[in-house]
PDB file of all heavy atoms in Angstrom:
ATOM      1  N   ALA A  89     -23.189  32.002 -15.227  1.00 97.00           N
ATOM      2  CA  ALA A  89     -24.345  32.701 -14.650  1.00 97.00           C
ATOM      3  C   ALA A  89     -25.086  33.513 -15.699  1.00 97.00           C
ATOM      4  O   ALA A  89     -26.300  33.750 -15.587  1.00 97.00           O
ATOM      5  CB  ALA A  89     -23.884  33.607 -13.510  1.00 97.00           C
ATOM      6  N   GLU A  99      -6.029  18.587 -21.088  1.00 94.00           N
ATOM      7  CA  GLU A  99      -5.151  17.608 -21.742  1.00 94.00           C
ATOM      8  C   GLU A  99      -5.431  16.204 -21.212  1.00 94.00           C
ATOM      9  O   GLU A  99      -5.755  16.024 -20.042  1.00 94.00           O
ATOM     10  CB  GLU A  99      -3.688  17.964 -21.461  1.00 94.00           C
ATOM     11  CG  GLU A  99      -2.954  18.491 -22.653  1.00 94.00           C
ATOM     12  CD  GLU A  99      -1.487  18.646 -22.357  1.00 94.00           C
ATOM     13  OE1 GLU A  99      -1.156  19.409 -21.442  1.00 94.00           O
ATOM     14  OE2 GLU A  99      -0.666  18.007 -23.045  1.00 94.00           O
ATOM     15  N   GLU A 159       9.548   4.929  -1.267  1.00 89.00           N
ATOM     16  CA  GLU A 159       8.157   4.535  -1.459  1.00 89.00           C
ATOM     17  C   GLU A 159       7.907   4.162  -2.915  1.00 89.00           C
ATOM     18  O   GLU A 159       7.198   3.193  -3.219  1.00 89.00           O
ATOM     19  CB  GLU A 159       7.232   5.673  -1.032  1.00 89.00           C
ATOM     20  CG  GLU A 159       5.750   5.430  -1.267  1.00 89.00           C
ATOM     21  CD  GLU A 159       5.163   4.350  -0.378  1.00 89.00           C
ATOM     22  OE1 GLU A 159       5.885   3.817   0.493  1.00 89.00           O
ATOM     23  OE2 GLU A 159       3.970   4.027  -0.543  1.00 89.00           O
ATOM     24  N   LEU A 160       8.491   4.910  -3.828  1.00 93.00           N
ATOM     25  CA  LEU A 160       8.334   4.606  -5.245  1.00 93.00           C
ATOM     26  C   LEU A 160       8.946   3.244  -5.569  1.00 93.00           C
ATOM     27  O   LEU A 160       8.341   2.434  -6.288  1.00 93.00           O
ATOM     28  CB  LEU A 160       8.997   5.707  -6.078  1.00 93.00           C
ATOM     29  CG  LEU A 160       8.822   5.644  -7.593  1.00 93.00           C
ATOM     30  CD1 LEU A 160       7.352   5.684  -7.968  1.00 93.00           C
ATOM     31  CD2 LEU A 160       9.568   6.798  -8.251  1.00 93.00           C
ATOM     32  N   MET A 173       4.383   8.967 -13.878  1.00 94.00           N
ATOM     33  CA  MET A 173       4.145  10.279 -14.470  1.00 94.00           C
ATOM     34  C   MET A 173       4.869  11.354 -13.679  1.00 94.00           C
ATOM     35  O   MET A 173       5.503  11.071 -12.667  1.00 94.00           O
ATOM     36  CB  MET A 173       2.647  10.545 -14.527  1.00 94.00           C
ATOM     37  CG  MET A 173       1.868   9.431 -15.225  1.00 94.00           C
ATOM     38  SD  MET A 173       0.126   9.775 -15.452  1.00 94.00           S
ATOM     39  CE  MET A 173       0.204  11.060 -16.692  1.00 94.00           C
ATOM     40  N   GLY A 176      10.316  15.091 -15.361  1.00 89.00           N
ATOM     41  CA  GLY A 176      11.096  16.316 -15.259  1.00 89.00           C
ATOM     42  C   GLY A 176      12.245  16.155 -14.289  1.00 89.00           C
ATOM     43  O   GLY A 176      13.040  15.220 -14.374  1.00 89.00           O
ATOM     44  N   ALA A 385       2.743  -6.778  19.666  1.00 95.00           N
ATOM     45  CA  ALA A 385       1.734  -5.740  19.844  1.00 95.00           C
ATOM     46  C   ALA A 385       1.349  -5.588  21.305  1.00 95.00           C
ATOM     47  O   ALA A 385       1.120  -4.471  21.788  1.00 95.00           O
ATOM     48  CB  ALA A 385       0.504  -6.055  18.997  1.00 95.00           C
ATOM     49  N   ILE A 450     -18.521 -12.655  29.633  1.00 95.00           N
ATOM     50  CA  ILE A 450     -17.866 -13.774  30.331  1.00 95.00           C
ATOM     51  C   ILE A 450     -16.959 -13.241  31.427  1.00 95.00           C
ATOM     52  O   ILE A 450     -16.955 -13.732  32.570  1.00 95.00           O
ATOM     53  CB  ILE A 450     -17.069 -14.625  29.329  1.00 95.00           C
ATOM     54  CG1 ILE A 450     -18.017 -15.331  28.357  1.00 95.00           C
ATOM     55  CG2 ILE A 450     -16.182 -15.638  30.049  1.00 95.00           C
ATOM     56  CD1 ILE A 450     -17.319 -16.025  27.205  1.00 95.00           C
TER      57      ILE A 450
END
Side-chain angles (χ1 to χ4, degrees):
E99 251 188 300
E159 176 69 4
L160 186 59
M173 307 186 70
I450 293 171

